[in-house]
Amino acid sequence: MGSPYDIDEIFPQDVAESVRLPRQQAGNSPQDLAVTLLADYTLRSRAWLPSAAIVELLAEAGVSPAGARTAISRLARRGVLEGHRQGRRSAYRLTAAAAAFLAVGGSTILSQGLAQPWDGQWTLVAFSLPQEEGALRRGLRSQLRWMGYAPLYDGLWVSPHDLGEKTRARLAELTLGTLTVFRARHVELDAAIRRNPIDAWDTGGIARQYESFIARWSATPPRTRAGEISGTEAVRARTEVMNTYRRLPVLDPGLPDRLLPPGWLREPARELFTAVYDGMAGAAEDHVREVAGWHSGGAVPGIRAHTVADLATGFS
């Protein structure tokens, strides 16, 4: 099974066809919302949610009933969800593979967005693929994006981080054409002919993403503390804030502070995400339990709104 999320939604220019789920549409796609919704409340337990409850919760996020049912069906066909029927009622849950991916992915995203000490060296991945192997090229680019690399040139990708064991293992599995990995320091040259490795990232664009995130969510924690947010809004907002924030550490995979403009908003965005996501957990969990219970005819066990700390530790 590929990623339950598509790297294409974060880097549409890469057209990552190797990932099986649909590419990002305007706003959050119904499938994105459905995956995030189930992950937010059932990732640890893989609890079964009535399909009618999923449809209702997605409707509260602006997805039509037909769109919700189509999203559920497509996710099931792609191995992200599995379903069963009991009488006239159907229910769905995350597959074991999807739950494992999402647990690891949540931990990776939250750790990837943290600034780390930097030794001044870059990891470079050089590869060569025949021009006719377009699908393989897109697949490799997708894998490198998920690992925090960016293209300095078409066949030369860079990361400011050393190779961890997981990255080594993933690179070793990439038997696509010719691939070379090495560590090096950047040598300054005349500005007219040089390209700094940090230029592989659009730091101006990333900064605007941080600014937009903070502008969108800064008013939410005070409203939560004042008790102004209903259960319906809490579920909708937690799904939206997760779907938005999870892109940021992929865009900015812990880029070294000393290479970034002053006032970089990585930490303020992370703190705001935690305040929003954790602050609404109780109200959101109660609402999901209520909707699921209504459609199942009784309490549904295993529904729990996990926290940022849960995600960071991989539920260990």
Side-chain angles (χ1 to χ4, degrees):
M1 190 198 77
S3 162
Y5 297 115
D6 194 340
I7 195 71
D8 212 27
E9 69 192 24
I10 306 174
F11 299 100
Q13 69 273 21
D14 287 350
V15 194
E17 293 181 356
S18 65
V19 183
R20 299 181 63 204
L21 296 193
R23 300 188 186 99
Q24 179 71 4
Q25 303 169 9
N28 292 314
S29 77
Q31 292 181 61
D32 266 356
L33 293 171
V35 171
T36 301
L37 177 68
L38 269 77
D40 277 346
Y41 306 98
T42 70
L43 186 55
R44 186 194 299 269
S45 65
R46 294 179 55 228
W48 294 96
L49 288 186
S51 58
I54 300 172
V55 170
E56 180 175 333
L57 292 166
L58 289 176
E60 293 174 353
V63 179
S64 70
R69 286 189 288 269
T70 298
I72 293 168
S73 177
R74 289 178 176 173
L75 290 170
R77 287 201 300 270
R78 290 178 170 87
V80 179
L81 301 181
E82 59 186 3
H84 79 83
R85 295 191 68 86
Q86 185 171 6
R88 299 178 60 185
R89 290 178 173 147
S90 62
Y92 288 86
R93 69 177 181 180
L94 294 167
T95 62
F101 184 98
L102 289 162
V104 172
S107 175
T108 300
I109 285 174
L110 289 171
S111 62
Q112 193 175 45
L114 296 174
Q116 303 173 20
W118 189 50
D119 62 4
Q121 294 197 84
W122 297 86
T123 300
L124 297 98
V125 175
F127 62 87
S128 177
L129 287 168
Q131 288 297 321
E132 62 269 19
E133 298 288 359
L136 289 178
R137 179 183 296 274
R138 287 188 290 272
L140 176 56
R141 289 167 66 94
S142 170
Q143 291 292 319
L144 291 171
R145 286 289 194 189
W146 280 123
M147 290 186 282
Y149 288 77
L152 187 61
Y153 302 104
D154 182 51
L156 183 64
W157 288 54
V158 297
S159 167
H161 305 305
D162 201 351
L163 291 172
E165 288 304 316
K166 290 181 180 179
T167 303
R168 284 178 182 272
R170 291 179 69 180
L171 287 173
E173 294 171 358
L174 300 177
T175 56
L176 307 175
T178 301
L179 186 146
T180 303
V181 182
F182 52 98
R183 295 274 289 167
R185 291 184 181 275
H186 173 236
V187 176
E188 292 287 347
L189 297 174
D190 187 285
I193 61 172
R194 71 173 175 85
R195 189 177 188 215
N196 196 301
I198 194 63
D199 294 337
W201 286 267
D202 178 9
T203 54
I206 297 170
R208 289 189 291 275
Q209 293 278 348
Y210 281 133
E211 291 166 359
S212 176
F213 181 85
I214 290 171
R216 165 67 179 86
W217 294 104
S218 59
T220 301
R223 291 187 60 224
T224 302
R225 291 191 293 269
E228 298 175 359
I229 294 181
S230 67
T232 300
E233 184 180 355
V235 174
R236 183 173 64 247
R238 281 184 101 237
T239 301
E240 182 184 345
V241 77
M242 170 59 78
N243 253 13
T244 304
Y245 181 80
R246 67 180 174 78
R247 296 169 170 85
L248 296 178
V250 182
L251 291 167
D252 171 17
L255 299 173
D257 288 341
R258 74 188 200 212
L259 299 180
L260 296 169
W264 195 246
L265 296 174
R266 178 194 295 134
E267 284 307 310
R270 181 187 178 88
E271 292 169 2
L272 179 57
F273 166 67
T274 301
V276 172
Y277 191 73
D278 288 0
M280 293 186 291
E285 178 182 308
D286 289 345
H287 183 66
V288 173
R289 286 181 183 275
E290 180 181 359
V291 173
W294 173 261
H295 288 285
S296 66
V300 176
I303 295 174
R304 178 189 165 190
H306 55 243
T307 64
V308 169
D310 292 330
L311 288 170
T313 60
F315 299 92
S316 60

